[in-house]
Amino acid sequence: MITFIAHVRVKAHNAEAFEALMAEVAARTHEHEPGVAYYECSLCVDDPEIYVVIEVYRDVAVHSAHMKSDWVTQSLPKALQLMEGRPEIRQYVTRGAEPVRQRAKFS
């Protein structure tokens, strides 16, 4: 399994739009991508400007297909406009799993 955990800062005036966008991406991912074991966005209890996005993929091929999906390619530019700065993203793998080498670029 491959897990990505992203911490994202979103100012209050963009929160509603960000949450709606992430809810749409999560719903479409759940509906169309059975190889994605988990995909959710949550708000930090201690800081209302911080969100965590947790994504769990069965393997590199599933992650690659997710990144090429229409809902991801269309939502990434929108999400980046709603964020403050770059997301802090870490990748984790279960022992023996191949990590994702080709990562999304956030400028």
Side-chain angles (χ1 to χ4, degrees), residues 3 8 15 17 19-20 27 30 35 37 39-40 42 47-48 53-56 60 68 70 83 93-94 98 106:
T3 301
V8 178
E19 289 176 15
H30 295 153
Y39 191 101
E40 295 296 333
S42 299
D47 186 340
V53 180
I54 301 174
E55 307 171 26
V56 181
V60 172
K68 292 175 186 171
D70 290 342
M83 295 177 194
V93 296
T94 54
E98 180 71 24
F106 297 97

Side-chain angles (χ1 to χ4, degrees), residues 12-30:
H13 63 274
N14 288 330
E16 187 175 331
F18 181 77
E19 289 176 15
L21 180 63
M22 293 308 298
E24 179 183 343
V25 172
R28 293 186 74 183
T29 298
H30 295 153

Side-chain angles (χ1 to χ4, degrees), residues 38-81:
Y38 188 83
Y39 191 101
E40 295 296 333
C41 177
S42 299
L43 179 62
C44 179
V45 171
D46 299 321
D47 186 340
E49 290 188 348
I50 300 292
Y51 290 82
V52 64
V53 180
I54 301 174
E55 307 171 26
V56 181
Y57 302 94
R58 301 227 184 270
D59 56 36
V60 172
V62 171
H63 175 265
S64 179
H66 173 76
M67 294 306 291
K68 292 175 186 171
S69 70
D70 290 342
W71 47 92
V72 172
T73 58
Q74 293 169 8
S75 69
L76 271 177
K78 294 174 188 175
L80 288 171
Q81 290 178 350

